Amino acid sequence: MSNYLDLSYIMDNVSDDPGFIKQLLSVFLENLEPDYEVLREVTVAGDHEHIKRTAHRMKSSFRSLGMSTLADLTQTIEKSAHAKEELQSIRSMVDELGSQVPMAVGEVELYLNS
């Protein structure tokens, strides 16, 4: 069982076409690491508005794939940036996201390679 990738969610809410799912997951992988890198950079720069926008975009991607753990975390980052909370707290959440991204990527790659 996957901790991140929820194929039943995708099949129930997005598409049950295996070809489309693979295409969707490929696009997700292409964007995930660059988006995370932007999020990390704007967090270091202290740009609350850009943090909020980037976290929102990432949250939408996670949510569309049923990755609720990562969607919830990016939603918390987005809300914290919107409220202009302490940057150290936001950095900590971004670091937590960064520690989970490789595991999510691994699950997606495992599916794509199966």
Side-chain angles (χ1 to χ4, degrees):
M1 183 173 130
S2 295
N3 291 321
Y4 297 98
L5 182 60
D6 186 347
L7 288 172
S8 63
Y9 178 89
I10 296 170
M11 288 187 226
D12 291 344
N13 296 289
V14 181
S15 173
D16 61 358
D17 175 2
F20 181 78
I21 292 171
K22 286 192 174 198
Q23 182 180 9
L24 178 70
L25 293 174
S26 294
V27 170
F28 169 76
L29 284 182
E30 288 173 18
N31 293 310
L32 179 58
E33 292 189 39
D35 282 348
Y36 175 74
E37 188 59 31
V38 168
L39 181 62
R40 196 186 64 67
E41 288 171 3
V42 297
T43 301
V44 168
D47 185 342
H48 283 92
E49 186 59 34
H50 206 154
I51 295 167
K52 182 177 79 170
R53 285 195 314 267
T54 305
H56 178 80
R57 182 175 57 248
M58 293 179 76
K59 174 189 73 179
S60 298
S61 294
F62 292 136
R63 194 124 7 248
S64 71
L65 299 178
M67 296 182 171
S68 57
T69 300
L70 298 176
D72 292 346
L73 182 53
T74 50
Q75 181 172 345
T76 302
I77 294 167
E78 178 186 7
K79 286 181 177 181
S80 296
H82 179 75
K84 296 193 182 332
E85 290 181 9
E86 176 67 37
L87 284 169
Q88 185 54 42
S89 172
I90 295 172
R91 281 187 195 114
S92 182
M93 289 183 281
V94 170
D95 289 345
E96 173 62 26
L97 179 65
S99 73
Q100 294 185 44
V101 163
M103 293 177 282
V105 167
E107 288 183 12
V108 171
E109 288 176 339
L110 187 64
Y111 174 79
L112 289 174
N113 294 323
S114 65

